[in-house]
């Protein structure tokens, strides 16, 4: 099945389907995320039964600011589909995909740790990479880059976020 054929089939189920560059993306509201994941996993002829990735992007100044992306694979179709959910900056919450795809557990923990997204219903939502007392979320674009002034050949190089352009 070609990505364009898959997109046409998914348009009968979802409102926002975009084929681009050989990939298909379905965008849903956050309150429909679990229904969308179940539909893609369970519907005959689709069977996107493998969750390969849960990722996140930060777009400061845009609304929604945070975008979640769930990457699914159907072995029977030999296709992939991406499910996207936008989250407004003032309410970074979405349902946990763990009840539908148990493999989402650690991936959601990483997104929680790095971006600050809270996954409602997650069985063990705590930091997985940063220390428990770490303040902030390092992959958000408003997080300081860090570093310390470093002496280099007689001059001091400031941390990346303090350098002038």
């Amino acid at each position: 099945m070609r990505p364009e054929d898959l997109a046409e089939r998914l348009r009968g189920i979802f409102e926002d389907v975009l084929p681009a560059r050989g990939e298909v993306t379905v965008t849903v509201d956050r309150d429909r995320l679990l229904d969308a994941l179940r539909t893609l996993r369970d519907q005959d002829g689709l069977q996107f039964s493998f969750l390969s990735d849960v990722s996140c992007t930060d777009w400061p100044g845009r609304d929604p600011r945070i975008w979640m992306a769930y990457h699914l694979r159907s072995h029977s179709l030999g296709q992939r589909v991406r499910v996207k959910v936008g989250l407004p900056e003032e309410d970074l919450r979405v349902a946990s995909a763990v009840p539908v795809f148990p493999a989402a557990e650690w991936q959601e923990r990483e997104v929680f740790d790095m971006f600050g997204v809270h996954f409602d219903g997650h069985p063990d939502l705590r930091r997985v990479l940063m220390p428990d007392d770490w303040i902030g979320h390092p992959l958000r674009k408003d997080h300081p880059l860090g570093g310390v002034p470093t002496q280099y050949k007689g001059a001091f190089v400031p941390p990346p976020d303090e350098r002038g352009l």
Side-chain angles (χ1 to χ4, degrees):
M1 175 179 287
R2 298 176 317 129
E4 296 78 15
D5 298 331
L6 174 61
E8 193 58 38
R9 184 169 185 183
L10 293 177
R11 282 190 184 103
I13 304 169
F14 302 103
E15 291 179 27
D16 191 351
V17 178
L18 177 67
R21 299 184 182 129
E23 300 178 342
V24 178
T25 301
V26 175
T27 304
V28 297
D29 292 330
R30 71 170 139 191
D31 57 341
R32 302 248 317 119
L33 173 65
L34 295 185
D35 290 338
L37 294 176
R38 283 186 193 101
T39 297
L40 289 165
R41 181 192 67 187
D42 298 339
Q43 186 161 338
D44 288 338
L46 292 179
Q47 298 158 341
F48 285 92
S49 58
F50 178 67
L51 174 72
S52 60
D53 186 43
V54 176
S55 62
C56 185
T57 55
D58 181 14
W59 296 91
R62 293 190 185 175
D63 188 30
R65 175 179 175 164
I66 298 289
W67 281 92
M68 294 297 306
Y70 300 80
H71 303 265
L72 306 175
R73 173 138 172 90
S74 171
H75 296 292
S76 60
L77 294 178
Q79 286 290 329
R80 297 178 187 275
V81 69
R82 176 185 304 112
V83 179
K84 288 176 49 176
V85 175
L87 304 176
E89 184 173 5
E90 63 278 357
D91 188 16
L92 298 179
R93 305 188 83 75
V94 67
S96 173
V98 171
V100 182
F101 290 104
E105 183 176 354
W106 278 81
Q107 296 174 42
E108 288 180 352
R109 284 182 62 189
E110 183 177 8
V111 170
F112 165 73
D113 196 0
M114 297 287 108
F115 290 93
V117 174
H118 291 265
F119 294 91
D120 296 333
H122 191 282
D124 187 21
L125 194 59
R126 58 190 163 98
R127 289 196 181 267
V128 67
L129 298 171
M130 304 305 293
D132 290 337
D133 60 349
W134 187 267
I135 297 171
H137 305 283
L139 290 183
R140 288 185 59 166
K141 292 183 180 172
D142 57 1
H143 191 77
L145 294 175
V148 295
T150 305
Q151 185 171 357
Y152 179 74
K153 293 188 179 182
F156 280 94
V157 178
D161 56 338
E162 294 177 14
R163 297 177 193 162
L165 298 176

